[in-house]
Short mmCIF file of all heavy atoms in Angstrom, two decimals:
data_model
loop_
_atom_site.label_atom_id
_atom_site.label_comp_id
_atom_site.label_asym_id
_atom_site.label_seq_id
_atom_site.Cartn_x
_atom_site.Cartn_y
_atom_site.Cartn_z
N ASN Z 318 0.82 -1.21 0.00
CA ASN Z 318 0.00 0.00 0.00
C ASN Z 318 0.86 1.26 0.00
O ASN Z 318 0.52 2.27 -0.63
CB ASN Z 318 -0.92 0.00 1.22
CG ASN Z 318 -2.02 -1.04 1.12
OD1 ASN Z 318 -2.40 -1.45 0.01
ND2 ASN Z 318 -2.52 -1.50 2.26
N GLU Z 319 1.98 1.21 0.72
CA GLU Z 319 2.89 2.35 0.75
C GLU Z 319 3.47 2.62 -0.63
O GLU Z 319 3.56 3.78 -1.08
CB GLU Z 319 4.00 2.08 1.76
CG GLU Z 319 4.98 3.24 1.90
CD GLU Z 319 6.08 2.96 2.89
OE1 GLU Z 319 6.08 1.86 3.48
OE2 GLU Z 319 6.95 3.84 3.08
N ALA Z 320 3.86 1.56 -1.33
CA ALA Z 320 4.40 1.72 -2.68
C ALA Z 320 3.32 2.24 -3.63
O ALA Z 320 3.59 3.07 -4.51
CB ALA Z 320 4.94 0.38 -3.18
N ARG Z 321 2.09 1.79 -3.45
CA ARG Z 321 0.98 2.26 -4.30
C ARG Z 321 0.71 3.74 -4.04
O ARG Z 321 0.45 4.51 -4.97
CB ARG Z 321 -0.26 1.41 -4.00
CG ARG Z 321 -1.36 1.54 -5.03
CD ARG Z 321 -2.50 0.58 -4.75
NE ARG Z 321 -2.07 -0.82 -4.98
CZ ARG Z 321 -1.91 -1.73 -4.03
NH1 ARG Z 321 -2.09 -1.40 -2.76
NH2 ARG Z 321 -1.54 -2.95 -4.33
N ALA Z 322 0.76 4.18 -2.76
CA ALA Z 322 0.55 5.58 -2.43
C ALA Z 322 1.66 6.45 -3.00
O ALA Z 322 1.43 7.59 -3.43
CB ALA Z 322 0.47 5.75 -0.92
N SER Z 323 2.89 5.92 -2.98
CA SER Z 323 4.01 6.67 -3.54
C SER Z 323 3.81 6.92 -5.03
O SER Z 323 4.14 7.99 -5.55
CB SER Z 323 5.32 5.92 -3.28
OG SER Z 323 6.42 6.65 -3.77
N ILE Z 324 3.26 5.93 -5.72
CA ILE Z 324 2.97 6.10 -7.15
C ILE Z 324 1.86 7.13 -7.32
O ILE Z 324 1.90 8.01 -8.21
CB ILE Z 324 2.59 4.75 -7.78
CG1 ILE Z 324 3.80 3.84 -7.83
CG2 ILE Z 324 2.01 4.95 -9.18
CD1 ILE Z 324 3.50 2.45 -8.34
N GLY Z 325 0.83 7.09 -6.45
CA GLY Z 325 -0.27 8.05 -6.53
C GLY Z 325 0.19 9.48 -6.32
O GLY Z 325 -0.34 10.42 -6.93
N ASP Z 326 1.20 9.66 -5.46
CA ASP Z 326 1.72 11.01 -5.23
C ASP Z 326 2.37 11.59 -6.48
O ASP Z 326 2.54 12.82 -6.58
CB ASP Z 326 2.76 10.99 -4.10
CG ASP Z 326 2.09 10.81 -2.74
OD1 ASP Z 326 0.87 11.04 -2.65
OD2 ASP Z 326 2.80 10.43 -1.78
N ARG Z 327 2.74 10.75 -7.39
CA ARG Z 327 3.41 11.21 -8.61
C ARG Z 327 2.43 11.45 -9.75
O ARG Z 327 2.86 11.73 -10.88
CB ARG Z 327 4.50 10.20 -9.00
CG ARG Z 327 5.73 10.32 -8.12
CD ARG Z 327 6.59 9.09 -8.11
NE ARG Z 327 7.84 9.33 -7.38
CZ ARG Z 327 7.93 9.38 -6.05
NH1 ARG Z 327 6.85 9.20 -5.30
NH2 ARG Z 327 9.09 9.61 -5.47
N VAL Z 328 1.15 11.35 -9.45
CA VAL Z 328 0.10 11.76 -10.40
C VAL Z 328 -0.63 12.93 -9.76
O VAL Z 328 -1.37 12.77 -8.78
CB VAL Z 328 -0.87 10.61 -10.71
CG1 VAL Z 328 -1.96 11.08 -11.68
CG2 VAL Z 328 -0.12 9.41 -11.27
N VAL Z 329 -0.43 14.14 -10.27
CA VAL Z 329 -0.99 15.35 -9.69
C VAL Z 329 -2.33 15.63 -10.36
O VAL Z 329 -2.44 15.68 -11.59
CB VAL Z 329 -0.04 16.55 -9.90
CG1 VAL Z 329 -0.62 17.82 -9.27
CG2 VAL Z 329 1.33 16.24 -9.31
N ARG Z 330 -3.38 15.81 -9.53
CA ARG Z 330 -4.74 15.99 -10.06
C ARG Z 330 -5.34 17.31 -9.58
O ARG Z 330 -4.91 17.89 -8.57
CB ARG Z 330 -5.63 14.82 -9.62
CG ARG Z 330 -5.12 13.46 -10.12
CD ARG Z 330 -6.07 12.33 -9.78
NE ARG Z 330 -5.54 11.06 -10.25
CZ ARG Z 330 -5.67 10.59 -11.48
NH1 ARG Z 330 -6.36 11.32 -12.37
NH2 ARG Z 330 -5.17 9.43 -11.84
N ALA Z 331 -6.37 17.77 -10.31
CA ALA Z 331 -7.05 19.01 -9.95
C ALA Z 331 -7.92 18.78 -8.73
O ALA Z 331 -8.73 17.85 -8.70
CB ALA Z 331 -7.91 19.50 -11.12
N PRO Z 332 -7.81 19.62 -7.70
CA PRO Z 332 -8.62 19.42 -6.48
C PRO Z 332 -10.08 19.82 -6.66
O PRO Z 332 -10.94 19.39 -5.90
CB PRO Z 332 -7.93 20.33 -5.46
CG PRO Z 332 -7.27 21.38 -6.29
CD PRO Z 332 -6.86 20.74 -7.57
N PHE Z 333 -10.38 20.66 -7.65
CA PHE Z 333 -11.76 21.05 -7.96
C PHE Z 333 -11.79 21.53 -9.41
O PHE Z 333 -10.73 21.73 -10.04
CB PHE Z 333 -12.27 22.14 -7.01
CG PHE Z 333 -11.33 23.30 -6.82
CD1 PHE Z 333 -11.23 24.31 -7.77
CD2 PHE Z 333 -10.52 23.38 -5.70
CE1 PHE Z 333 -10.35 25.37 -7.61
CE2 PHE Z 333 -9.64 24.43 -5.53
CZ PHE Z 333 -9.56 25.42 -6.47
N SER Z 334 -12.99 21.71 -9.93
CA SER Z 334 -13.14 22.17 -11.32
C SER Z 334 -12.82 23.66 -11.41
O SER Z 334 -13.17 24.44 -10.51
CB SER Z 334 -14.56 21.92 -11.81
OG SER Z 334 -14.87 20.53 -11.78
N GLY Z 335 -12.15 24.05 -12.49
CA GLY Z 335 -11.82 25.46 -12.66
C GLY Z 335 -10.86 25.66 -13.82
O GLY Z 335 -10.57 24.72 -14.58
N TYR Z 336 -10.40 26.90 -13.95
CA TYR Z 336 -9.48 27.26 -15.03
C TYR Z 336 -8.05 27.20 -14.50
O TYR Z 336 -7.76 27.69 -13.40
CB TYR Z 336 -9.78 28.66 -15.54
CG TYR Z 336 -11.11 28.77 -16.26
CD1 TYR Z 336 -12.27 29.08 -15.56
CD2 TYR Z 336 -11.20 28.56 -17.64
CE1 TYR Z 336 -13.49 29.18 -16.22
CE2 TYR Z 336 -12.41 28.65 -18.30
CZ TYR Z 336 -13.55 28.96 -17.57
OH TYR Z 336 -14.77 29.04 -18.22
N VAL Z 337 -7.16 26.63 -15.32
CA VAL Z 337 -5.76 26.56 -14.92
C VAL Z 337 -5.03 27.79 -15.46
O VAL Z 337 -5.44 28.40 -16.44
CB VAL Z 337 -5.08 25.28 -15.43
CG1 VAL Z 337 -5.65 24.06 -14.75
CG2 VAL Z 337 -5.20 25.16 -16.94
N SER Z 338 -3.94 28.11 -14.82
CA SER Z 338 -3.15 29.26 -15.22
C SER Z 338 -2.33 28.93 -16.46
O SER Z 338 -2.36 27.80 -16.98
CB SER Z 338 -2.21 29.64 -14.08
OG SER Z 338 -1.36 28.54 -13.78
N LEU Z 339 -1.60 29.91 -16.94
CA LEU Z 339 -0.68 29.68 -18.05
C LEU Z 339 0.41 28.70 -17.62
O LEU Z 339 0.92 28.77 -16.50
CB LEU Z 339 -0.05 31.00 -18.50
CG LEU Z 339 -1.03 32.09 -18.97
CD1 LEU Z 339 -0.25 33.31 -19.43
CD2 LEU Z 339 -1.93 31.59 -20.08
N ARG Z 340 0.75 27.78 -18.52
CA ARG Z 340 1.73 26.73 -18.19
C ARG Z 340 3.14 27.32 -18.20
O ARG Z 340 3.55 27.97 -19.16
CB ARG Z 340 1.60 25.58 -19.19
CG ARG Z 340 2.48 24.40 -18.90
CD ARG Z 340 2.02 23.18 -19.69
NE ARG Z 340 2.04 23.40 -21.12
CZ ARG Z 340 3.11 23.22 -21.89
NH1 ARG Z 340 4.25 22.81 -21.36
NH2 ARG Z 340 3.05 23.44 -23.19
N ARG Z 341 3.90 27.05 -17.14
CA ARG Z 341 5.28 27.54 -17.04
C ARG Z 341 6.29 26.41 -16.88
O ARG Z 341 7.44 26.65 -16.54
CB ARG Z 341 5.39 28.52 -15.86
CG ARG Z 341 4.58 29.79 -16.07
CD ARG Z 341 4.74 30.75 -14.91
NE ARG Z 341 4.04 32.00 -15.16
CZ ARG Z 341 2.76 32.21 -14.93
NH1 ARG Z 341 2.01 31.24 -14.42
NH2 ARG Z 341 2.19 33.38 -15.20
N ILE Z 342 5.84 25.17 -17.08
CA ILE Z 342 6.73 24.02 -17.02
C ILE Z 342 6.52 23.18 -18.28
O ILE Z 342 5.52 23.33 -18.98
CB ILE Z 342 6.45 23.16 -15.77
CG1 ILE Z 342 4.99 22.72 -15.75
CG2 ILE Z 342 6.82 23.91 -14.50
CD1 ILE Z 342 4.67 21.76 -14.63
N SER Z 343 7.48 22.31 -18.56
CA SER Z 343 7.42 21.48 -19.75
C SER Z 343 7.72 20.03 -19.39
O SER Z 343 8.33 19.74 -18.34
CB SER Z 343 8.43 21.96 -20.81
OG SER Z 343 8.18 23.30 -21.17
N VAL Z 344 7.32 19.14 -20.28
CA VAL Z 344 7.62 17.72 -20.10
C VAL Z 344 9.14 17.55 -20.13
O VAL Z 344 9.83 18.12 -20.99
CB VAL Z 344 6.94 16.89 -21.19
CG1 VAL Z 344 7.39 15.43 -21.12
CG2 VAL Z 344 5.43 16.99 -21.08
N GLY Z 345 9.65 16.77 -19.20
CA GLY Z 345 11.09 16.54 -19.11
C GLY Z 345 11.78 17.38 -18.07
O GLY Z 345 12.91 17.07 -17.68
N ALA Z 346 11.12 18.42 -17.62
CA ALA Z 346 11.72 19.27 -16.58
C ALA Z 346 11.69 18.56 -15.24
O ALA Z 346 10.78 17.79 -14.93
CB ALA Z 346 10.99 20.59 -16.50
N VAL Z 347 12.71 18.82 -14.44
CA VAL Z 347 12.75 18.27 -13.08
C VAL Z 347 12.21 19.32 -12.12
O VAL Z 347 12.70 20.45 -12.09
CB VAL Z 347 14.18 17.87 -12.69
CG1 VAL Z 347 14.23 17.40 -11.24
CG2 VAL Z 347 14.70 16.77 -13.61
N VAL Z 348 11.18 18.95 -11.38
CA VAL Z 348 10.59 19.86 -10.40
C VAL Z 348 10.98 19.41 -9.00
O VAL Z 348 11.10 18.21 -8.73
CB VAL Z 348 9.06 19.91 -10.54
CG1 VAL Z 348 8.65 20.59 -11.82
CG2 VAL Z 348 8.45 18.52 -10.45
N SER Z 349 11.20 20.36 -8.14
CA SER Z 349 11.49 20.06 -6.75
C SER Z 349 10.20 20.02 -5.94
O SER Z 349 9.17 20.59 -6.36
CB SER Z 349 12.44 21.11 -6.17
OG SER Z 349 13.65 21.14 -6.88
N ALA Z 350 10.24 19.39 -4.81
CA ALA Z 350 9.06 19.34 -3.95
C ALA Z 350 8.66 20.77 -3.57
O ALA Z 350 9.47 21.56 -3.10
CB ALA Z 350 9.37 18.53 -2.70
N GLY Z 351 7.40 21.10 -3.82
CA GLY Z 351 6.90 22.45 -3.53
C GLY Z 351 6.86 23.37 -4.72
O GLY Z 351 6.26 24.45 -4.64
N ASP Z 352 7.43 22.98 -5.86
CA ASP Z 352 7.36 23.81 -7.07
C ASP Z 352 5.94 23.80 -7.63
O ASP Z 352 5.27 22.76 -7.64
CB ASP Z 352 8.34 23.31 -8.13
CG ASP Z 352 9.78 23.62 -7.80
OD1 ASP Z 352 10.01 24.34 -6.82
OD2 ASP Z 352 10.67 23.11 -8.52
N GLU Z 353 5.49 24.97 -8.11
CA GLU Z 353 4.15 25.06 -8.67
C GLU Z 353 4.07 24.39 -10.03
O GLU Z 353 4.91 24.61 -10.89
CB GLU Z 353 3.71 26.52 -8.80
CG GLU Z 353 2.28 26.67 -9.31
CD GLU Z 353 1.83 28.11 -9.41
OE1 GLU Z 353 2.10 28.74 -10.46
OE2 GLU Z 353 1.22 28.60 -8.45
N ILE Z 354 3.04 23.56 -10.19
CA ILE Z 354 2.77 22.94 -11.49
C ILE Z 354 1.69 23.73 -12.22
O ILE Z 354 1.79 24.00 -13.42
CB ILE Z 354 2.35 21.48 -11.31
CG1 ILE Z 354 3.53 20.67 -10.77
CG2 ILE Z 354 1.83 20.88 -12.60
CD1 ILE Z 354 3.22 19.23 -10.46
N ALA Z 355 0.65 24.13 -11.51
CA ALA Z 355 -0.43 24.93 -12.10
C ALA Z 355 -1.23 25.58 -10.99
O ALA Z 355 -1.27 25.07 -9.85
CB ALA Z 355 -1.33 24.07 -12.97
N ALA Z 356 -1.88 26.70 -11.30
CA ALA Z 356 -2.83 27.34 -10.39
C ALA Z 356 -4.22 27.09 -10.93
O ALA Z 356 -4.49 27.33 -12.11
CB ALA Z 356 -2.55 28.83 -10.26
N VAL Z 357 -5.11 26.58 -10.09
CA VAL Z 357 -6.48 26.27 -10.51
C VAL Z 357 -7.40 27.29 -9.84
O VAL Z 357 -7.34 27.50 -8.63
CB VAL Z 357 -6.87 24.84 -10.12
CG1 VAL Z 357 -8.28 24.53 -10.62
CG2 VAL Z 357 -5.88 23.84 -10.70
N ASN Z 358 -8.28 27.91 -10.66
CA ASN Z 358 -9.19 28.96 -10.17
C ASN Z 358 -10.63 28.59 -10.48
O ASN Z 358 -10.98 28.36 -11.65
CB ASN Z 358 -8.87 30.30 -10.83
CG ASN Z 358 -7.45 30.76 -10.55
OD1 ASN Z 358 -7.18 31.39 -9.55
ND2 ASN Z 358 -6.53 30.41 -11.45
N ASP Z 359 -11.44 28.55 -9.46
CA ASP Z 359 -12.89 28.36 -9.63
C ASP Z 359 -13.51 29.73 -9.83
O ASP Z 359 -13.60 30.52 -8.89
CB ASP Z 359 -13.47 27.65 -8.42
CG ASP Z 359 -14.99 27.52 -8.49
OD1 ASP Z 359 -15.56 27.80 -9.57
OD2 ASP Z 359 -15.61 27.15 -7.47
#
């Protein structure tokens, strides 16, 4: 279960429906813990 949760943490999902901000990251980039992936606005 711990390994399954670790995999789930690596799939980032929208917490609610809304508009996302302009994208400032690209595929292949390395992000650090706490780096913003997107801003979601209801």
Side-chain angles (χ1 to χ4, degrees):
N318 290 335
E319 182 180 359
R321 195 174 291 111
S323 182
I324 291 176
D326 287 342
R327 284 159 173 76
V328 179
V329 181
R330 300 185 181 276
F333 48 79
S334 299
Y336 292 90
V337 293
S338 60
L339 301 182
R340 185 164 59 86
R341 294 181 176 85
I342 57 174
S343 301
V344 173
V347 176
V348 291
S349 300
D352 287 352
E353 183 179 86
I354 293 176
V357 183
N358 300 273
D359 175 10

